[in-house]
Amino acid sequence: MASTKTLLGIILCFLAIQFGCATQLVRHSANQEVIAMRWAIAIHGGAGTIGRDAEASIQESYLAALQVALEAAERILASGGTSLDAVQEAVRILEDDPLFNAGRGAAIMADGHCELDAAVMDGATRNSGAVAFVRGVRNPVLLARHVMEATPHMLVAGDGALRLAKQKGFQIEPDSYFETERRRRMWDRERQRQRVGPEAGEVELAMGTVGAVALDQFGNLAAATSTGGLTNKMPGRVGDSPLVGIGTYANNATCAISCTGTGEEFIRLTVAHRISAMMEFGGLSSSEAAKRVVMEELPRGSGGLILVDRLGNIETPYNSRGMYRATADSRGNRHVAIWE
Ligand code: ASP
């Protein structure tokens, strides 16, 4: 009996390695080892964080909100769900939370309203779906998934995206749903800063985005990102978040990435695909590639990213003051943080 189990273990291990899946040996009971497929998840709530001097209660709210989204994604992955479902659910929860710049609580642009960008990508097929400068859609990440799975297109923008959402019965909300009091204060401050210069106050708070990347038990990677973009942006401006290969990317051969920061800087470097290419063609590890791009190539203060690679390694480099983030994996590692 014991030797049958050992043989089965060896065969499973061999198959998993052949198909590129991450595995781990788990001690199940006293003398028995079974193969468990590895999963991993990382989420972020943006690189435009509160300062370390912020009230403890505000810090607690951010950490608790990250925890809720992380746990929802963990439950999906631990019970054998797909990485696509896990990243979508984490991002949907963060979109509904007014603390973060996506969905409800999105950044306010120059005309006083919100326009939203989102993308999802499936690392197994490299199919993707995205929406850009869409108004009124409560959960842009769900619409992005619909674009990927139910249309022949990959990016649908503006009025066309809103029309698609209405036709397909996605939840539509009035402007007042998205535009919170707190975002209006940030908008006022940002407009003042742009008029009088940095003495007016915080710069970092102009940023923000939410995202998730995951590896599931089938060895499939997925990424999702959703944002209101930069505070006081020009209507119609599109950042890196809905651009596949820049703010969002997943490829089973390398990694899944979701970025946050000043979109224009990320677009200039095609950040996510650049990291994937460094791994695939340059032989760099996910850690070396991600750190090189974020810490050496992007300008200081421009943002950061979350990454899960095909073996379940997680990276969360940023060059900004902080980055709201949370990570977990099947080995029991778990981390929720704002700063170092
Ligand atoms: N990257 C987003 C954008 O440029 C904003 C952010 O992540 O802070 O639209």
Side-chain angles (χ1 to χ4, degrees):
M1 185 67 179
S3 63
T4 314
K5 276 191 182 140
T6 310
L7 189 63
L8 193 65
I10 291 166
I11 292 169
L12 276 174
C13 212
F14 174 76
L15 286 175
I17 289 163
Q18 287 305 304
F19 289 106
C21 304
T23 60
Q24 83 187 118
L25 274 176
V26 173
R27 200 157 286 284
H28 199 53
S29 63
N31 299 315
Q32 195 186 359
E33 280 182 336
V34 296
I35 304 290
M37 301 307 291
R38 182 181 291 178
W39 56 263
I41 172 87
I43 66 172
H44 74 77
T49 64
I50 51 172
R52 281 174 191 274
D53 52 354
E55 277 173 39
S57 63
I58 296 178
Q59 297 182 29
E60 296 295 316
S61 329
Y62 274 103
L63 295 173
L66 288 167
Q67 189 85 23
V68 168
L70 182 74
E71 279 171 9
E74 271 185 282
R75 274 195 296 276
I76 292 172
L77 293 167
S79 61
T82 66
S83 51
L84 260 178
D85 286 344
V87 296
Q88 175 188 296
E89 182 59 1
V91 167
R92 189 195 63 76
I93 290 171
L94 295 170
E95 282 178 341
D96 284 349
D97 192 321
L99 283 175
F100 300 100
N101 173 11
R104 183 159 182 237
I108 295 176
M109 61 182 172
D111 72 355
H113 298 293
C114 302
E115 279 181 354
L116 311 167
D117 300 336
V120 295
M121 186 161 181
D122 175 358
T125 58
R126 279 192 258 171
N127 280 334
S128 61
V131 293
F133 61 96
V134 64
R135 297 191 185 198
V137 176
R138 180 185 171 120
N139 292 112
V141 72
L142 302 185
L143 188 58
R145 175 99 181 248
H146 179 82
V147 168
M148 177 171 87
E149 290 178 344
T151 79
H153 308 300
M154 287 188 170
L155 172 61
V156 180
D159 288 345
L162 178 56
R163 227 171 304 136
L164 176 68
K166 285 180 177 165
Q167 271 166 14
K168 296 296 170 190
F170 284 86
Q171 211 166 329
I172 307 297
E173 302 287 352
D175 287 351
S176 56
Y177 169 82
F178 299 96
E179 301 161 12
T180 61
E181 212 17 71
R182 183 163 159 263
R183 288 292 170 199
R184 219 155 256 291
R185 282 200 302 278
M186 289 181 186
W187 182 51
D188 287 340
R189 203 181 321 152
E190 180 59 16
R191 283 188 302 163
Q192 198 192 354
R193 189 191 69 80
Q194 288 182 4
R195 272 198 308 272
V196 304
E199 311 87 78
E202 294 295 342
V203 184
E204 285 92 337
L205 286 174
M207 303 192 292
T209 281
V210 307
V213 288
L215 172 73
D216 64 28
Q217 297 188 31
F218 312 102
N220 289 323
L221 289 162
T225 312
S226 181
T227 189
L230 299 179
T231 302
N232 207 35
K233 68 184 180 184
M234 184 190 293
R237 175 265 186 191
V238 176
D240 59 313
S241 311
L243 302 182
V244 159
I246 301 179
T248 306
Y249 190 65
N251 179 349
N252 272 10
T254 53
C255 62
I257 294 178
S258 171
C259 300
T260 170
T262 311
E264 285 70 9
E265 301 294 353
F266 285 70
I267 294 170
R268 185 171 288 125
L269 289 183
T270 56
V271 164
H273 186 263
R274 184 170 176 78
I275 290 170
S276 171
M278 283 177 175
M279 294 172 64
E280 190 168 5
F281 307 116
L284 270 66
S285 69
S286 54
S287 165
E288 289 164 343
K291 284 188 185 125
R292 178 149 138 198
V293 172
V294 174
M295 309 313 281
E296 295 171 28
E297 298 185 352
L298 278 167
R300 266 204 93 62
S302 58
L305 57 87
I306 51 171
L307 175 157
V308 171
D309 73 19
R310 59 188 282 273
L311 300 174
N313 299 308
I314 297 175
E315 300 295 330
T316 62
Y318 58 90
N319 61 35
S320 42
R321 172 168 68 183
M323 181 169 78
Y324 300 114
R325 62 200 186 279
T327 60
D329 67 25
S330 50
R331 287 166 289 182
N333 298 313
R334 173 159 247 294
H335 188 60
V336 185
I338 303 177
W339 311 283
E340 278 315 311

